Amino acid sequence: MARQIGTFEKDFSNSLSRTLDWLRKCEELWCLVVDNLDELEMSTDMRKLLTGHWKQAARGHIIITTRREATEIGEETGIEGNFCIELKCLTKEEGIQFVRMRTELAGGDDKEIGELVRELGGLPLALDQAAAHIRCRHLPIKEYVKKYKERRLLLLKMNKARNLVENTSRERLAIHTTWLLNFDHISQVSKEMELVSAFLGPDDIPYEVINEGLNKVDDTEAVSDDLWYQADIVGLLTKFSLFQRYGTNSFSVHRLVQEVIRSEMKKEQTELQVLSCAVRVLHHALANTRSPAEVCESFVEDAVFSVENPPSLHLWGKLASHATYLQEHLHSFSTKHKESVHTLLYTDGTVRVFNEAAIFFSVSQDKVKAQAMQEMKTGVPCPP
């Protein structure tokens, strides 16, 4: 935004101050959305954005989405309770109407649909997943409810063994079960991509990560970097509403879907394999994308390039952003499983992920994280 309105500076705090001043002076009505404000402690810059004096003369509005309680967020921001809207679960009638709309069922027994709504606790997200499964598999609702109950009991047994029953909310159980039913019908390569995506950022995942770095199970489903092939894989992922298309040649995955996928990786070896696969696909994508150094070289005095299609870091920025997410998971896993450090971290791919993440943090003016990434990178020796 700062770049678009001409308030960008190298120092983030200065950019923020200039941007807020621009908003304060803007004569047109505006609306700013602060999404997923879930941090327990807000940064100084966030407090300045939400509670600063600049708002007194501004002609716009700020919408905040958060999973925190209204009273908690109110204490942090000074927002009064009557300005907070709590999104509740759907009523039985609303749920029935929603399921009919999503499954495109003209008829059907309201009693059976009502039972589905009751089983899923009226959760819109879970109902959306269930409806997608019913529609795509042409299942009777009664049959789906039966399958759901079977999977739910399986989850309850699994949670009981882990001694987590008291920590498993009805909402999370419903979401876990409906997504697991949909996971069963994804092809093997799509399944690999689904697992890898759990360790990337949730938004704007470019098609380029669907490449030969994915695990090849057999010769019947060879992985290709071809755009049509990538679109087919994304088509399978989005078929059951597990993933969504995100602009042109990108897709996204809900954070809760990522959480479900990661929670299903019970074995250390499985997570190690998926993380290694994630490193390979990101390494392959970055290796075939213009780096900041290459783009800078394109602008030397004697360089020649098309004015209509100048060198761009757009794709690199997307991939490097996902590298920042992946490096956090790599660091977390290696800290818990020190015996796997050599296998996971001592590779060219991992070094590249750390390097690109460090550059991204540096470009984003996050010097602390950039320095930490450089230290982590230098602490990982190159493979022999």
Side-chain angles (χ1 to χ4, degrees), residues 17-60:
S17 296
R18 291 188 61 193
T19 302
L20 297 182
D21 188 56
W22 183 89
L23 288 172
R24 180 179 63 83
K25 296 177 180 178
C26 184
E27 296 182 358
E28 297 180 357
L29 288 174
W30 51 263
C31 180
L32 183 67
V33 178
V34 180
D35 196 20
N36 295 317
L37 186 63
D38 299 327
E39 292 80 6
L40 294 178
E41 294 185 9
M42 288 192 295
S43 66
T44 303
D45 290 327
M46 183 59 74
R47 289 182 182 278
K48 183 177 181 179
L49 169 64
L50 298 178
T51 64
H53 294 297
W54 69 274
K55 293 171 55 183
Q56 295 176 359
R59 301 189 69 244

Side-chain angles (χ1 to χ4, degrees), residues 18 94 105 361 366:
R18 291 188 61 193
E94 291 171 337
L105 287 174
F361 282 136
D366 197 332

